[in-house]
Amino acid sequence: MSQIDELPPLREVIAQHGLRAKKELGQNFLLDLNLTARIARIAEPLEDHTIIEVGPGPGGLTRGLLASGAKKVIAIERDDRALPALAEIAAAYPDRLEVIPGDAIEIDYRALADGPTKIVANLPYNIATPLLTGWLDGPWPPYFDSLTLMFQKEVADRICAPVGSKAFGRLSILSQWRCHTKVALNVGPGAFTPPPKVSSAIVHLVPKPDAQQIKASTLEHVTRAAFGQRRKMLRQSLKSLNVDLPILFDDMSLKGTERAEQLSTEQFVEMARWVETNR
């Protein structure tokens, strides 16, 4: 395997710093630097961007981003054991890597944005979905130009699921309301140490600047009702909205006998707007 820079191979870095992955932190380290460079290329162009990375661990993806020309990487790392390895990367790429020790859930990401910004991360699996929904819930258009994120394959499929599929649900609608989404790369367990029990995938999300302006909380309220009783018809599952359902269905040209997965993202956005207007 060829090296992408002059730093040691990741296996040596992990051994030198005793970076055994911790299950409680959702850690699975990427070992293949060619793969991390490939992930970085999915997020290109990088040259004029600040890249925010969550959970760099020993810095495999960090190195891929820097070697691919990222203007600057801001890496958020909760595990203090990884800080010496990241310091070595910072020394090899002077003035281009800033490491912020801390909990990724508590970070004010908008405050980190410095000009054009992208988020690229091999997300810790135990906080991946809350991080994504947090980034999508904010003011729109957002401060980032794209999100390039590693998820468990099952979660990636839910984000990008087409209407009518078993995977289509609340996460699909939130993601596709505000972004163009695609699974850009499938990654097998063997790419990680330790190998997870599931496959993974890189999802690339590009914001829709003109995403229809409704409150994310209203869309969440509507989709929670609809998919909370997924097997029931909408005339049953939407009762908890406490609105005049016959008028809602008539205004939206629905029968009420449809099930949640049969409605498109656009229809759910329209429904959320109707609910906001008719409460």
Side-chain angles (χ1 to χ4, degrees), residues 211-232:
Q212 297 184 47
Q213 297 301 314
I214 56 171
K215 294 179 181 177
S217 58
T218 306
L219 185 61
E220 172 73 11
H221 179 54
V222 169
T223 55
R224 186 187 299 115
F227 287 94
Q229 302 182 70
R230 189 181 184 112
R231 295 185 178 181
K232 292 189 176 181

Side-chain angles (χ1 to χ4, degrees), residues 157-226:
D157 288 343
R158 285 167 50 204
I159 292 168
C160 302
V163 60
S165 66
K166 289 185 178 180
F168 185 75
R170 293 165 57 194
L171 188 58
S172 320
I173 292 164
L174 175 62
S175 302
Q176 295 172 33
W177 162 45
R178 288 204 142 164
C179 293
H180 300 286
T181 68
K182 71 173 181 178
V183 175
L185 181 66
N186 291 311
V187 183
F192 301 89
T193 182
K197 295 179 180 179
V198 296
S199 293
S200 304
I202 293 289
V203 177
H204 187 60
L205 302 98
V206 178
K208 299 176 181 177
D210 57 348
Q212 297 184 47
Q213 297 301 314
I214 56 171
K215 294 179 181 177
S217 58
T218 306
L219 185 61
E220 172 73 11
H221 179 54
V222 169
T223 55
R224 186 187 299 115

Side-chain angles (χ1 to χ4, degrees), residues 34 61 70 105 171 185 190 266 273:
N34 292 320
L61 181 54
I105 291 289
L171 188 58
L185 181 66
E266 292 73 21
R273 180 181 290 105

Side-chain angles (χ1 to χ4, degrees), residues 55-155:
L61 181 54
T62 314
R63 288 166 62 178
L65 292 164
L66 291 166
S68 297
K71 175 184 174 183
K72 181 181 180 181
V73 175
I74 300 176
I76 300 158
E77 180 54 64
R78 180 181 175 186
D79 188 353
D80 290 344
R81 300 176 306 152
L83 299 183
L86 295 172
E88 293 173 0
I89 300 172
Y93 293 92
D95 302 319
R96 292 176 58 201
L97 174 60
E98 177 183 354
V99 180
I100 298 178
D103 189 333
I105 291 289
E106 298 174 357
I107 293 291
D108 179 358
Y109 291 89
R110 183 173 292 273
L112 297 181
D114 181 16
T117 300
K118 297 181 177 182
I119 300 177
V120 186
N122 170 25
L123 294 176
Y125 286 157
N126 56 354
I127 58 171
T129 300
L131 282 173
L132 175 62
T133 56
W135 291 326
L136 296 179
D137 273 353
W140 215 261
Y143 57 90
F144 52 81
D145 291 347
S146 67
L147 305 169
T148 305
L149 308 170
M150 180 88 76
F151 295 95
Q152 291 186 25
K153 183 67 165 61
E154 177 187 356
V155 177

